[in-house]
Amino acid sequence: MNDNKSLSHTKYNCKYHIVFAPKYRRKVFYGEKRREIGIILRKLCEYKGITIIEAECCPDHIHMFVEIPPKYSVSSIMGYLKGKSSLMIYEKFGNLKFKYRNREFWCRGYYVDTVGKNAKKIAEYIKNQLEEDKIGEQMKINYKEDPFMGSK
């Protein structure tokens, strides 16, 4: 299978796994906000010609598996996505302005990894991320409640 895309003088296959979170890692992505952030990020990626292969919005972070054309750097795309999306989020949900100072919705940093030949595994990981988070939370709760393990 040929995954190569092309620009006028370039053939490329640039895929990245990106993870980023809201400021203070607050759990804000539920219901309407979760749906709206998905719409906003899809729209912004579409404007720049970025293909979203797989994405998942967890309560306190976002996973994206994207294909970015080589004319853009990953850092410039992340600045664009986080900057524009925060303005759009504050426009849609005005009450969030009071939780985050100076309209800084996202954390400054992010995680990025080049995908290479592991594309299927990473897509599957992102697809199952929400379930893995739920299992991890249940394990923490059960560990704290176990009378034989002592309290933590």
Side-chain angles (χ1 to χ4, degrees):
M1 187 166 112
N2 190 358
D3 284 343
N4 293 336
K5 302 267 173 115
S6 64
L7 295 171
S8 58
H9 300 285
T10 309
K11 295 272 189 200
Y12 68 93
N13 183 4
C14 302
K15 294 179 181 152
Y16 302 94
H17 176 208
I18 300 170
V19 182
F20 53 105
K23 199 99 164 151
Y24 315 116
R25 195 82 183 220
R26 288 196 171 127
K27 296 184 179 193
V28 293
F29 300 125
Y30 291 104
E32 185 184 354
K33 289 177 189 163
R34 183 173 192 246
R35 196 171 25 262
E36 194 62 35
I37 192 66
I39 292 167
I40 288 169
L41 291 174
R42 270 187 244 110
K43 190 182 302 182
L44 291 173
C45 285
E46 185 180 307
Y47 290 157
K48 292 283 188 176
I50 297 166
T51 305
I52 299 176
I53 299 165
E54 190 70 45
E56 185 63 62
C57 184
C58 297
D60 64 345
H61 63 284
I62 307 256
H63 284 269
M64 293 179 76
F65 178 25
V66 294
E67 186 169 37
I68 301 174
K71 64 183 178 180
Y72 301 119
S73 69
V74 176
S75 62
S76 69
I77 289 300
M78 287 308 298
Y80 167 76
L81 284 178
K82 288 163 74 173
K84 294 291 184 190
S85 67
S86 67
L87 293 174
M88 294 168 87
I89 289 168
Y90 286 131
E91 188 176 303
K92 188 78 173 178
F93 303 102
N95 61 334
L96 290 177
K97 292 176 189 174
F98 303 109
K99 289 185 179 179
Y100 303 91
R101 63 180 177 86
N102 297 332
R103 295 186 175 229
E104 295 174 0
F105 183 77
W106 300 107
C107 287
R108 286 177 57 195
Y110 58 92
Y111 170 81
V112 64
D113 190 7
T114 54
V115 173
K117 301 297 180 191
N118 298 325
K120 289 179 185 173
K121 287 183 182 179
I122 291 175
E124 188 176 317
Y125 168 76
I126 292 172
K127 193 178 290 184
N128 298 325
Q129 182 62 35
L130 203 52
E131 290 300 317
E132 290 176 19
D133 282 353
K134 287 178 185 175
I135 291 169
E137 287 296 318
Q138 289 174 352
M139 288 176 66
K140 287 180 190 174
I141 291 169
N142 291 339
Y143 178 72
K144 289 178 184 176
E145 294 173 353
D146 191 350
F148 298 107
M149 297 300 290
S151 62
K152 282 211 165 197

